[in-house]
Amino acid sequence: MAYSWVLLHQAGLVLVECYLLHINKTYHHETTDILPEHFLSEKRLTKAVKRRQNEVSEVLASLEEMSQLSRDDYPIGTYCLEPYGCDYKHHCWKNIPSISLFNMQQMPLKTKLSLYKEGKIALDEIPSNLLEKEIQKKQLRAYISGERIIEKEQISTFLEQLNMPLAFLDFETFQIPTPYHQNLRPYEPMPFAFSLHILKCNKVHVEDYIAKDVNQDGRKDIAKLLSTYITPEMKLVAYNAPFERQVLRKLALDVPVYAEALNA
């Protein structure tokens, strides 16, 4: 916004105040129509924008310098991946092996780039004092030895918790900034489909549902069906358990008549 202020000022416009109008994420859609006065929030940014005027000239100079460089002249950096992936990453990173120190788990990107600037590129070139987490040590061991690390004890412990019947649940949701169904907030996951694979007596039975179109509010149908299929003795399994649990809990709030079954 500081950049826009400078451009408008140079164009001869007299600017007095600067405001940012943005979506209020706490807005709860309860009526038929969205209420703009509650859906949108206004934030005054005049002081912050004026304070950053000097930075604009520096950024413009940097952009001008960058525009004079070829793609081969510019080094890789955090800007290749943050805040969004660059479309030219495949070109600038063409000399980076498919398996390199950039694949190390749970290591900050800045740390990886610092090592790269020192001339390091392979996983086994990462100093041991930087590998403090167990998963990092396992990854390096697997890379050096070529072995597959299968944690059989942990897998057995997990499997022992699973008692029949099992139900494998998966929701499909969408998120939009302007919720057009009631009892939704901006960007809140809205379920429109689910699949439930029930394993009992070594047989799999599949139940599923998908809304007819995007304008249909399928929450009541989904809640009703799941309350019928899911029984108290059933063990639910999900790939992303926190997310599926979140959707179930919200369904219970939105369709309270089935809350007891959904929260069981």
Side-chain angles (χ1 to χ4, degrees), residues 5-260:
W5 182 288
V6 170
L7 290 182
L8 293 172
H9 180 73
Q10 291 177 347
L13 295 177
V14 179
L15 304 177
V16 179
E17 296 286 351
C18 179
Y19 291 90
L20 175 67
L21 203 62
H22 63 89
I23 293 173
N24 175 16
K25 291 186 178 181
T26 64
Y27 173 76
H28 189 223
H29 185 43
E30 298 176 334
T31 60
T32 303
D33 299 319
I34 288 182
L35 305 176
E37 65 272 21
H38 299 300
F39 177 66
L40 297 173
S41 295
E42 183 181 83
K43 186 174 183 179
R44 186 171 181 265
L45 297 175
T46 309
K47 290 184 178 179
V49 167
K50 287 184 175 181
R51 192 167 54 246
R52 302 193 66 176
Q53 293 301 291
N54 293 333
E55 297 179 24
V56 174
S57 58
E58 297 175 4
V59 172
L60 289 176
S62 174
L63 292 174
E64 176 65 25
E65 178 185 355
M66 185 184 301
S67 69
Q68 303 302 319
L69 298 173
S70 72
R71 290 182 297 181
D72 295 320
D73 293 332
Y74 213 76
I76 66 175
T78 55
Y79 37 74
C80 297
L81 301 168
E82 300 173 352
Y84 307 104
C86 176
D87 290 338
Y88 289 100
K89 180 176 178 288
H90 67 281
H91 175 85
C92 301
W93 288 56
K94 61 180 180 294
N95 295 323
I96 305 296
S98 58
I99 299 179
S100 70
L101 59 81
F102 289 101
N103 298 108
M104 179 53 68
Q105 297 289 314
Q106 300 182 17
M107 177 174 283
L109 178 58
K110 289 184 177 180
T111 302
K112 298 175 181 178
L113 288 168
S114 178
L115 294 171
Y116 175 71
K117 290 177 181 178
E118 294 175 6
K120 299 178 175 62
I121 188 63
L123 276 170
D124 54 4
E125 292 182 292
I126 300 176
S128 58
N129 63 301
L130 296 179
L131 303 177
E132 300 177 348
K133 300 178 180 179
E134 188 61 29
I135 189 173
Q136 295 173 331
K137 296 175 182 178
K138 290 178 181 178
Q139 182 179 356
L140 180 61
R141 188 170 81 244
Y143 170 74
I144 294 174
S145 66
E147 67 173 308
R148 288 187 176 182
I149 299 178
I150 302 175
E151 299 177 332
K152 296 181 180 180
E153 185 176 337
Q154 287 89 332
I155 293 175
S156 297
T157 301
F158 171 75
L159 292 176
E160 289 172 359
Q161 303 174 32
L162 304 181
N163 300 317
M164 297 294 177
L166 294 176
F168 301 86
L169 176 64
D170 180 46
F171 283 111
E172 297 299 332
T173 65
F174 65 86
Q175 296 170 271
I176 55 175
T178 52
Y180 47 77
H181 294 309
Q182 293 185 6
N183 295 320
L184 281 179
R185 300 184 189 279
Y187 303 106
E188 185 173 22
M190 170 69 179
F192 66 89
F194 76 84
S195 64
L196 188 71
H197 291 65
I198 301 172
L199 176 60
K200 186 176 182 180
C201 300
N202 294 324
K203 293 184 179 180
V204 177
H205 177 68
V206 180
E207 299 287 356
D208 54 28
Y209 168 89
I210 185 168
K212 295 180 180 179
D213 60 69
V214 71
N215 295 316
Q216 179 185 354
D217 185 351
R219 286 175 294 180
K220 185 174 181 180
D221 291 339
I222 292 174
K224 181 179 179 180
L225 290 171
L226 287 178
S227 66
T228 303
Y229 301 145
I230 298 174
T231 57
E233 71 275 6
M234 191 175 287
K235 192 79 170 182
L236 287 180
V237 182
Y239 176 76
N240 187 358
F243 177 76
E244 316 300 335
R245 188 179 297 114
Q246 173 192 348
V247 177
L248 275 174
R249 296 292 179 261
K250 187 59 169 60
L251 278 173
L253 292 174
D254 293 339
V255 195
V257 66
Y258 302 113
E260 184 177 355

